[in-house]
Amino acid sequence: MPLPPSDSPACPGRSDSPGSSDLARPLLRVDGLRIGFADGEAVRGVSFELWAGEVLALVGESGAGKSLTARALLGMLPRGADVHGRVLLRGRAVTSADLGRSLAWIPQDAMSALSPVHRVEDQLAFAVRAVARVRRTEALAVARRALAGVGLTADAAAAFPHALSGGMRQRAVIAMALVNGPELVVADEPTTALDPERQEQVLALLRERCAAAGAALLLVSHDLEAVRRHADRVAVTYAGRIVEAGSAELVLGRPVAPYTRGLLASLPTAGLPHRSRLPVLAGGPPAPGAAAAGCAFAPRCPHAGDLCRGTEPTARPVDGRTVACHHPFGEAA
């Protein structure tokens, strides 16, 4: 059963449907985002756009700044964060009032988003009533339709979170994220705690439900194969910067940044001989604030030269995507 649209009577008070002028500009625009802490900058000038209805994936190794970037969009950064740059939703600054309305969050661990002492359907009804002035019975009806829309039975909807499997809890969190008709859903490694089969089911469901609701999806992930199947565009992050961004087909099919190629080459492949050594990307990313002058990937890059070690590359268009690299593959010297 489909979820109610944002202008449904089940969600009164939401009269912010996009006009024709809104369709000509990105839903979300991030300009020069920098996030620093006492030990240095963890996100260093990240910029990207996200259009209504599309799926954009942020990928990269742990510590690349993916989750911090996602949390910055929602005002959920840890204490002590020093933030600069702009985050605009349909051309206006994002505020805390947008969370739960225009913006929704799906964390890695579903239990961190669910109360252990309330039934699942009641928690969704609370979320509905936090946005819309409706009776409890009406909010419960909306909650139950939303839960049915992600494949949860009436018994599961009436259960406490601890009684559900990990996959069922993640489905409940997806329903909660979408119940108020957000324009943007931010999902931070939403399938980390699930087995591979359920990971694929949940990601497919998440994309399907976002598409049905007309919501854009920002997906933070380290799973490049899942991203290849479910994302429209990909932004590859390294040491707090985006090093390659473009369509998933281009970036993951014909990468030109050495770091992107290294990530893809490190994936295990079918037919790998028994007991053979798994491929790895040698070395590790620098700690926040520890990146040397020049390209942060230069110490690990087999193609780095003096220019790479002395001058930080700026993002520029190369072969249909944007790349921050002095010597991308396929470009004439």
Side-chain angles (χ1 to χ4, degrees), residues 2 10 30 47 54-55 66 76 82 91 100 132 137 143 152 178 180 184 195 211 235 244 249 265 267-268 275 298 328:
V30 178
S47 298
E54 78 169 344
V55 180
K66 307 184 303 297
M76 297 174 62
D82 183 25
T137 53
L152 292 181
L178 291 167
N180 286 321
L184 171 62
D195 62 68
E244 185 168 2
E249 180 181 8
L267 296 177
R275 291 187 177 180

PDB file of all heavy atoms in Angstrom, residues 2 10 30 47 54-55 66 76 82 91 100 132 137 143 152 178 180 184 195 211 235 244 249 265 267-268 275 298 328:
ATOM      1  N   PRO A   2       0.629   2.193  -0.893  1.00  0.00           N
ATOM      2  CA  PRO A   2       1.521   3.350  -0.986  1.00  0.00           C
ATOM      3  C   PRO A   2       1.436   4.257   0.215  1.00  0.00           C
ATOM      4  O   PRO A   2       0.408   4.353   0.879  1.00  0.00           O
ATOM      5  CB  PRO A   2       1.028   4.060  -2.254  1.00  0.00           C
ATOM      6  CG  PRO A   2      -0.393   3.622  -2.419  1.00  0.00           C
ATOM      7  CD  PRO A   2      -0.451   2.227  -1.892  1.00  0.00           C
ATOM      8  N   ALA A  10      -3.775  13.329   5.181  1.00  0.00           N
ATOM      9  CA  ALA A  10      -3.147  12.732   6.361  1.00  0.00           C
ATOM     10  C   ALA A  10      -1.985  13.568   6.859  1.00  0.00           C
ATOM     11  O   ALA A  10      -1.496  13.349   7.956  1.00  0.00           O
ATOM     12  CB  ALA A  10      -2.662  11.324   6.031  1.00  0.00           C
ATOM     13  N   VAL A  30      25.058  21.928  -1.645  1.00  0.00           N
ATOM     14  CA  VAL A  30      26.080  22.043  -0.610  1.00  0.00           C
ATOM     15  C   VAL A  30      27.267  22.759  -1.229  1.00  0.00           C
ATOM     16  O   VAL A  30      27.822  22.310  -2.235  1.00  0.00           O
ATOM     17  CB  VAL A  30      26.491  20.647  -0.090  1.00  0.00           C
ATOM     18  CG1 VAL A  30      27.595  20.775   0.955  1.00  0.00           C
ATOM     19  CG2 VAL A  30      25.285  19.921   0.490  1.00  0.00           C
ATOM     20  N   SER A  47      31.467  20.115  -1.981  1.00  0.00           N
ATOM     21  CA  SER A  47      30.375  20.763  -2.711  1.00  0.00           C
ATOM     22  C   SER A  47      29.691  19.727  -3.600  1.00  0.00           C
ATOM     23  O   SER A  47      30.370  18.928  -4.255  1.00  0.00           O
ATOM     24  CB  SER A  47      30.886  21.914  -3.577  1.00  0.00           C
ATOM     25  OG  SER A  47      31.491  22.928  -2.804  1.00  0.00           O
ATOM     26  N   GLU A  54      16.332  11.809  -7.266  1.00  0.00           N
ATOM     27  CA  GLU A  54      17.511  11.015  -7.600  1.00  0.00           C
ATOM     28  C   GLU A  54      18.168  10.420  -6.361  1.00  0.00           C
ATOM     29  O   GLU A  54      17.885  10.807  -5.231  1.00  0.00           O
ATOM     30  CB  GLU A  54      18.518  11.830  -8.408  1.00  0.00           C
ATOM     31  CG  GLU A  54      19.360  12.787  -7.620  1.00  0.00           C
ATOM     32  CD  GLU A  54      20.520  13.348  -8.450  1.00  0.00           C
ATOM     33  OE1 GLU A  54      20.848  12.799  -9.515  1.00  0.00           O
ATOM     34  OE2 GLU A  54      21.101  14.353  -8.012  1.00  0.00           O
ATOM     35  N   VAL A  55      19.049   9.458  -6.610  1.00  0.00           N
ATOM     36  CA  VAL A  55      19.827   8.819  -5.546  1.00  0.00           C
ATOM     37  C   VAL A  55      21.299   9.176  -5.760  1.00  0.00           C
ATOM     38  O   VAL A  55      21.882   8.840  -6.792  1.00  0.00           O
ATOM     39  CB  VAL A  55      19.653   7.289  -5.553  1.00  0.00           C
ATOM     40  CG1 VAL A  55      20.477   6.662  -4.423  1.00  0.00           C
ATOM     41  CG2 VAL A  55      18.190   6.907  -5.428  1.00  0.00           C
ATOM     42  N   LYS A  66      32.355  11.003   5.020  1.00  0.00           N
ATOM     43  CA  LYS A  66      31.023  10.759   4.454  1.00  0.00           C
ATOM     44  C   LYS A  66      29.919  11.018   5.480  1.00  0.00           C
ATOM     45  O   LYS A  66      28.974  11.776   5.225  1.00  0.00           O
ATOM     46  CB  LYS A  66      30.916   9.310   3.956  1.00  0.00           C
ATOM     47  CG  LYS A  66      31.996   8.878   2.998  1.00  0.00           C
ATOM     48  CD  LYS A  66      31.764   7.479   2.485  1.00  0.00           C
ATOM     49  CE  LYS A  66      31.660   6.417   3.556  1.00  0.00           C
ATOM     50  NZ  LYS A  66      32.893   6.264   4.337  1.00  0.00           N
ATOM     51  N   MET A  76      23.223  17.549  12.824  1.00  0.00           N
ATOM     52  CA  MET A  76      23.425  16.491  13.815  1.00  0.00           C
ATOM     53  C   MET A  76      24.905  16.242  14.085  1.00  0.00           C
ATOM     54  O   MET A  76      25.300  15.136  14.423  1.00  0.00           O
ATOM     55  CB  MET A  76      22.747  15.198  13.338  1.00  0.00           C
ATOM     56  CG  MET A  76      21.251  15.309  13.195  1.00  0.00           C
ATOM     57  SD  MET A  76      20.482  13.835  12.469  1.00  0.00           S
ATOM     58  CE  MET A  76      20.896  12.589  13.681  1.00  0.00           C
ATOM     59  N   ASP A  82      33.339  22.748  14.154  1.00  0.00           N
ATOM     60  CA  ASP A  82      33.427  24.091  13.591  1.00  0.00           C
ATOM     61  C   ASP A  82      33.030  23.985  12.122  1.00  0.00           C
ATOM     62  O   ASP A  82      33.753  23.375  11.322  1.00  0.00           O
ATOM     63  CB  ASP A  82      34.853  24.626  13.735  1.00  0.00           C
ATOM     64  CG  ASP A  82      34.998  26.045  13.228  1.00  0.00           C
ATOM     65  OD1 ASP A  82      33.984  26.774  13.204  1.00  0.00           O
ATOM     66  OD2 ASP A  82      36.124  26.434  12.849  1.00  0.00           O
ATOM     67  N   GLY A  91      17.018  26.380  -2.197  1.00  0.00           N
ATOM     68  CA  GLY A  91      17.489  27.746  -2.213  1.00  0.00           C
ATOM     69  C   GLY A  91      17.478  28.465  -0.883  1.00  0.00           C
ATOM     70  O   GLY A  91      17.908  29.614  -0.796  1.00  0.00           O
ATOM     71  N   GLY A 100      12.564  15.864  10.104  1.00  0.00           N
ATOM     72  CA  GLY A 100      11.286  15.221  10.389  1.00  0.00           C
ATOM     73  C   GLY A 100      10.172  15.699   9.486  1.00  0.00           C
ATOM     74  O   GLY A 100       9.088  15.110   9.462  1.00  0.00           O
ATOM     75  N   ALA A 132       1.629  17.070  11.971  1.00  0.00           N
ATOM     76  CA  ALA A 132       0.257  17.370  11.574  1.00  0.00           C
ATOM     77  C   ALA A 132      -0.678  17.348  12.776  1.00  0.00           C
ATOM     78  O   ALA A 132      -0.534  16.513  13.676  1.00  0.00           O
ATOM     79  CB  ALA A 132      -0.212  16.347  10.531  1.00  0.00           C
ATOM     80  N   THR A 137      -6.188   8.460  16.415  1.00  0.00           N
ATOM     81  CA  THR A 137      -6.683   7.363  15.574  1.00  0.00           C
ATOM     82  C   THR A 137      -6.298   7.573  14.111  1.00  0.00           C
ATOM     83  O   THR A 137      -5.949   6.631  13.404  1.00  0.00           O
ATOM     84  CB  THR A 137      -8.209   7.245  15.694  1.00  0.00           C
ATOM     85  OG1 THR A 137      -8.805   8.532  15.431  1.00  0.00           O
ATOM     86  CG2 THR A 137      -8.614   6.774  17.089  1.00  0.00           C
ATOM     87  N   ALA A 143       0.183   5.626  10.176  1.00  0.00           N
ATOM     88  CA  ALA A 143       1.339   4.821  10.570  1.00  0.00           C
ATOM     89  C   ALA A 143       1.207   3.386  10.076  1.00  0.00           C
ATOM     90  O   ALA A 143       2.168   2.807   9.549  1.00  0.00           O
ATOM     91  CB  ALA A 143       1.497   4.846  12.083  1.00  0.00           C
ATOM     92  N   LEU A 152       5.516  -4.743   6.461  1.00  0.00           N
ATOM     93  CA  LEU A 152       5.343  -5.206   7.838  1.00  0.00           C
ATOM     94  C   LEU A 152       3.871  -5.514   8.103  1.00  0.00           C
ATOM     95  O   LEU A 152       2.986  -4.723   7.758  1.00  0.00           O
ATOM     96  CB  LEU A 152       5.849  -4.157   8.832  1.00  0.00           C
ATOM     97  CG  LEU A 152       7.358  -3.924   8.834  1.00  0.00           C
ATOM     98  CD1 LEU A 152       7.737  -2.886   9.883  1.00  0.00           C
ATOM     99  CD2 LEU A 152       8.120  -5.225   9.086  1.00  0.00           C
ATOM    100  N   LEU A 178       9.774   8.142   6.005  1.00  0.00           N
ATOM    101  CA  LEU A 178       8.965   8.595   4.881  1.00  0.00           C
ATOM    102  C   LEU A 178       7.541   8.980   5.249  1.00  0.00           C
ATOM    103  O   LEU A 178       6.807   9.506   4.408  1.00  0.00           O
ATOM    104  CB  LEU A 178       8.934   7.507   3.807  1.00  0.00           C
ATOM    105  CG  LEU A 178      10.263   7.261   3.092  1.00  0.00           C
ATOM    106  CD1 LEU A 178      10.202   5.972   2.280  1.00  0.00           C
ATOM    107  CD2 LEU A 178      10.602   8.428   2.193  1.00  0.00           C
ATOM    108  N   ASN A 180       6.063  11.314   6.837  1.00  0.00           N
ATOM    109  CA  ASN A 180       5.612  12.702   6.716  1.00  0.00           C
ATOM    110  C   ASN A 180       5.934  13.327   5.359  1.00  0.00           C
ATOM    111  O   ASN A 180       5.899  14.541   5.203  1.00  0.00           O
ATOM    112  CB  ASN A 180       6.217  13.546   7.838  1.00  0.00           C
ATOM    113  CG  ASN A 180       5.566  13.263   9.177  1.00  0.00           C
ATOM    114  OD1 ASN A 180       4.354  13.072   9.261  1.00  0.00           O
ATOM    115  ND2 ASN A 180       6.370  13.210  10.227  1.00  0.00           N
ATOM    116  N   LEU A 184      13.806  14.979   1.126  1.00  0.00           N
ATOM    117  CA  LEU A 184      15.143  14.391   1.104  1.00  0.00           C
ATOM    118  C   LEU A 184      15.297  13.409   2.255  1.00  0.00           C
ATOM    119  O   LEU A 184      14.990  13.735   3.404  1.00  0.00           O
ATOM    120  CB  LEU A 184      16.209  15.487   1.226  1.00  0.00           C
ATOM    121  CG  LEU A 184      17.658  15.026   1.425  1.00  0.00           C
ATOM    122  CD1 LEU A 184      18.138  14.201   0.234  1.00  0.00           C
ATOM    123  CD2 LEU A 184      18.583  16.225   1.652  1.00  0.00           C
ATOM    124  N   ASP A 195      22.557  -9.076   7.117  1.00  0.00           N
ATOM    125  CA  ASP A 195      23.273 -10.025   6.271  1.00  0.00           C
ATOM    126  C   ASP A 195      23.096  -9.626   4.807  1.00  0.00           C
ATOM    127  O   ASP A 195      22.213  -8.822   4.468  1.00  0.00           O
ATOM    128  CB  ASP A 195      22.750 -11.445   6.508  1.00  0.00           C
ATOM    129  CG  ASP A 195      21.278 -11.595   6.157  1.00  0.00           C
ATOM    130  OD1 ASP A 195      20.933 -11.520   4.965  1.00  0.00           O
ATOM    131  OD2 ASP A 195      20.459 -11.756   7.078  1.00  0.00           O
ATOM    132  N   ALA A 211      11.285   6.608  -4.281  1.00  0.00           N
ATOM    133  CA  ALA A 211      10.768   6.946  -5.607  1.00  0.00           C
ATOM    134  C   ALA A 211       9.254   7.118  -5.564  1.00  0.00           C
ATOM    135  O   ALA A 211       8.703   8.050  -6.164  1.00  0.00           O
ATOM    136  CB  ALA A 211      11.159   5.857  -6.614  1.00  0.00           C
ATOM    137  N   ALA A 235      29.552  10.210  -5.532  1.00  0.00           N
ATOM    138  CA  ALA A 235      30.630  11.131  -5.168  1.00  0.00           C
ATOM    139  C   ALA A 235      31.618  10.350  -4.318  1.00  0.00           C
ATOM    140  O   ALA A 235      31.273   9.864  -3.232  1.00  0.00           O
ATOM    141  CB  ALA A 235      30.091  12.336  -4.404  1.00  0.00           C
ATOM    142  N   GLU A 244      36.139  12.373  -7.077  1.00  0.00           N
ATOM    143  CA  GLU A 244      35.536  12.041  -8.369  1.00  0.00           C
ATOM    144  C   GLU A 244      34.031  11.962  -8.173  1.00  0.00           C
ATOM    145  O   GLU A 244      33.550  11.355  -7.221  1.00  0.00           O
ATOM    146  CB  GLU A 244      36.072  10.710  -8.912  1.00  0.00           C
ATOM    147  CG  GLU A 244      35.554  10.382 -10.305  1.00  0.00           C
ATOM    148  CD  GLU A 244      36.302   9.226 -10.981  1.00  0.00           C
ATOM    149  OE1 GLU A 244      37.212   8.642 -10.348  1.00  0.00           O
ATOM    150  OE2 GLU A 244      35.987   8.924 -12.146  1.00  0.00           O
ATOM    151  N   GLU A 249      27.276   4.934 -13.494  1.00  0.00           N
ATOM    152  CA  GLU A 249      27.776   4.143 -14.628  1.00  0.00           C
ATOM    153  C   GLU A 249      29.187   4.575 -15.017  1.00  0.00           C
ATOM    154  O   GLU A 249      30.061   3.738 -15.247  1.00  0.00           O
ATOM    155  CB  GLU A 249      26.827   4.305 -15.812  1.00  0.00           C
ATOM    156  CG  GLU A 249      27.245   3.530 -17.047  1.00  0.00           C
ATOM    157  CD  GLU A 249      26.303   3.732 -18.216  1.00  0.00           C
ATOM    158  OE1 GLU A 249      25.398   4.592 -18.111  1.00  0.00           O
ATOM    159  OE2 GLU A 249      26.470   3.039 -19.232  1.00  0.00           O
ATOM    160  N   ALA A 265      39.580  -1.755  -7.437  1.00  0.00           N
ATOM    161  CA  ALA A 265      40.511  -2.876  -7.597  1.00  0.00           C
ATOM    162  C   ALA A 265      40.633  -3.694  -6.320  1.00  0.00           C
ATOM    163  O   ALA A 265      41.033  -4.864  -6.362  1.00  0.00           O
ATOM    164  CB  ALA A 265      41.880  -2.361  -8.012  1.00  0.00           C
ATOM    165  N   LEU A 267      38.175  -4.622  -4.454  1.00  0.00           N
ATOM    166  CA  LEU A 267      36.999  -5.459  -4.219  1.00  0.00           C
ATOM    167  C   LEU A 267      37.316  -6.909  -4.564  1.00  0.00           C
ATOM    168  O   LEU A 267      37.924  -7.189  -5.595  1.00  0.00           O
ATOM    169  CB  LEU A 267      35.824  -4.987  -5.079  1.00  0.00           C
ATOM    170  CG  LEU A 267      35.263  -3.588  -4.799  1.00  0.00           C
ATOM    171  CD1 LEU A 267      34.162  -3.266  -5.795  1.00  0.00           C
ATOM    172  CD2 LEU A 267      34.733  -3.521  -3.376  1.00  0.00           C
ATOM    173  N   PRO A 268      36.888  -7.863  -3.714  1.00  0.00           N
ATOM    174  CA  PRO A 268      37.069  -9.274  -4.067  1.00  0.00           C
ATOM    175  C   PRO A 268      36.223  -9.616  -5.277  1.00  0.00           C
ATOM    176  O   PRO A 268      35.116  -9.098  -5.442  1.00  0.00           O
ATOM    177  CB  PRO A 268      36.595 -10.019  -2.808  1.00  0.00           C
ATOM    178  CG  PRO A 268      35.720  -9.053  -2.078  1.00  0.00           C
ATOM    179  CD  PRO A 268      36.248  -7.690  -2.392  1.00  0.00           C
ATOM    180  N   ARG A 275      42.035 -19.533  -0.542  1.00  0.00           N
ATOM    181  CA  ARG A 275      43.133 -19.109   0.330  1.00  0.00           C
ATOM    182  C   ARG A 275      44.046 -18.071  -0.315  1.00  0.00           C
ATOM    183  O   ARG A 275      45.145 -17.817   0.190  1.00  0.00           O
ATOM    184  CB  ARG A 275      43.966 -20.313   0.788  1.00  0.00           C
ATOM    185  CG  ARG A 275      43.226 -21.229   1.742  1.00  0.00           C
ATOM    186  CD  ARG A 275      44.157 -22.299   2.281  1.00  0.00           C
ATOM    187  NE  ARG A 275      43.467 -23.140   3.259  1.00  0.00           N
ATOM    188  CZ  ARG A 275      44.035 -24.149   3.902  1.00  0.00           C
ATOM    189  NH1 ARG A 275      45.311 -24.449   3.667  1.00  0.00           N
ATOM    190  NH2 ARG A 275      43.342 -24.861   4.774  1.00  0.00           N
ATOM    191  N   ALA A 298      48.445  11.449  -2.582  1.00  0.00           N
ATOM    192  CA  ALA A 298      49.772  11.286  -3.194  1.00  0.00           C
ATOM    193  C   ALA A 298      50.640  10.242  -2.494  1.00  0.00           C
ATOM    194  O   ALA A 298      51.322   9.456  -3.178  1.00  0.00           O
ATOM    195  CB  ALA A 298      50.487  12.635  -3.251  1.00  0.00           C
ATOM    196  N   PRO A 328      44.515  12.431 -14.083  1.00  0.00           N
ATOM    197  CA  PRO A 328      43.477  11.400 -14.206  1.00  0.00           C
ATOM    198  C   PRO A 328      43.760  10.478 -15.387  1.00  0.00           C
ATOM    199  O   PRO A 328      44.366  10.892 -16.379  1.00  0.00           O
ATOM    200  CB  PRO A 328      42.201  12.208 -14.440  1.00  0.00           C
ATOM    201  CG  PRO A 328      42.666  13.486 -15.034  1.00  0.00           C
ATOM    202  CD  PRO A 328      44.002  13.759 -14.404  1.00  0.00           C
TER     203      PRO A 328
END
